[in-house]
Amino acid sequence: MRAFLYDQPASRVIFGVGALDRLAEEVGRLGARRALVLTTPRQRGNADKAAHHLGNVAVGIYAEAVMHVPIETARAAREVATRLEADCCVAVGGGSTIGLGKAIALESAVAIVAVPTTYAGSEMTPIYGLTDGGLKRTGRDRKVLPRTVLYDPALTVTLPPRISGPSGLNAIAHCVEALYAPDANPIISLLAAEGIRALARSLPIVVTEPAQLEARADALYGAWLAGTALGATTMSLHHKLCHTLGGAFNLTHADVHAVVLPHAAAFNREAASEAMRVAADALGARDAAQGLFDLAVRLGAPIALKDIGMPADGLDRAARLATENPYANPRPIEYAGVRQLIDDAYHGTRPE
Ligand code: NAD
């Protein structure tokens, strides 16, 4: 066995239907007395529910979270948190909402309690992102890691199939890249494989029967494992490419992941053959890249960049941006290979 480092910060996880009912108790357990509830405009209803559970510990609701945490939104939310003297942020939502909580925690002592309602996995990571002038900057800081995470599958039944599928593939992407990460370790690889298994078996049910709580719970369990894998390892070409494409062409985060993942897996197929064997097994497929593509098709997720807003004249620029700075990847990064990958993803070709 290869030598490894395992240094995983712990967070407390409450998992199960009705977990939200434990919110007040969990916030109290952290010693917090003034909680600001965060969410997106569309999820205001869930924030109201959270505030109701908190009673007079809830000092306000800020329902303005948007994707990629624009610095203006972060500043406005920080001001509200300061004005209300919040000592805790309860983030009820997907990666955008939890990201806003992290932006507040980065510059203050507030504790985050996360209630994730998508499969993005941000709640399990010390990674934050802020977008300033169209450029997204990410960093790692343990102070932004949520202290407590309440996973309540009942809150995810409203996530439409159109978002559930790509969001689940976003989670699978964390697992796939964790398996071949330069700092992979055997514990996280177990979690990553189990995460793929749970998501691959549950997502087809989630998109056809969105209210099926067993499948929702299974998918959320997979998302938890995937988020843990993301937080514990260094991501490679796939995440770099999605970050670049999403930022430069303003594409929806989870959709880009859904489209690019099979092609990133095909790109790394030979260079990370053991990781790909594990991923293929967990998918129940002969080949990981093809299995991921077929799963995306089955979920009705987007499979081509051209269908999610990528301009045809942006492919060269995307390949340049993705290759100009060096980063870890099993197969060496070079322009021609990445340009071909982007071309395949643009057209939605099934990996051979
Ligand atoms: P999101 O949070 O933007 O949510 C997508 C949409 O789904 C939103 O309109 C939201 O209101 C809606 N929604 C969420 N939950 C719902 C529910 N249960 N029912 C109905 N509608 C619901 O999208 P996301 O994919 O979860 O997060 C993407 C963002 O998170 C990106 O900015 C990405 O960079 C970031 N992210 C960060 C990390 C990290 O570790 N820092 C990890 C993953 C993603």
Side-chain angles (χ1 to χ4, degrees), residues 8-11 30 78 87-89 91 98-114 122-130 139-149 231:
Q8 187 61 1
S11 44
L30 295 174
R78 284 170 183 158
D87 54 9
C88 170
C89 280
I98 294 166
L100 184 59
K102 289 176 168 181
I104 298 172
L106 190 62
E107 294 206 343
S108 64
V110 301
I112 303 176
V113 173
S122 177
E123 67 282 356
M124 295 311 293
T125 83
I127 306 165
Y128 62 87
L130 284 164
R140 279 181 182 255
D141 191 326
R142 284 199 177 182
K143 72 192 282 213
V144 308
L145 181 75
R147 299 271 294 278
T148 306
V149 181

Side-chain angles (χ1 to χ4, degrees), residues 40 42-43 67-68 94-96 102 117-118 120 122 125 127 136 155-156 158-160 163 230 253-254:
T40 51
R42 271 174 61 181
Q43 283 202 279
M67 202 167 54
H68 302 317
S96 302
K102 289 176 168 181
T117 62
T118 71
S122 177
T125 83
I127 306 165
K136 186 163 177 182
L155 297 177
T156 64
T158 49
L159 192 67
I163 303 181
L230 169 69
H253 178 80

Side-chain angles (χ1 to χ4, degrees), residues 129-217:
L130 284 164
T131 305
D132 193 355
L135 268 187
K136 186 163 177 182
R137 169 174 68 86
T138 59
R140 279 181 182 255
D141 191 326
R142 284 199 177 182
K143 72 192 282 213
V144 308
L145 181 75
R147 299 271 294 278
T148 306
V149 181
L150 300 170
Y151 283 108
D152 190 338
L155 297 177
T156 64
V157 296
T158 49
L159 192 67
R162 174 69 193 81
I163 303 181
S164 297
S167 187
L169 291 163
N170 182 192
I172 291 180
H174 307 331
C175 299
V176 170
E177 290 227 293
L179 287 171
Y180 59 57
D183 45 5
N185 69 67
I187 308 287
I188 294 299
S189 294
L190 286 174
L191 301 191
E194 172 69 353
I196 297 173
R197 252 191 309 277
L199 286 155
R201 71 181 170 230
S202 58
L203 291 172
I205 306 170
V206 157
V207 298
T208 48
E209 295 174 63
Q212 226 257 51
L213 270 178
E214 270 304 309
R216 286 291 189 179

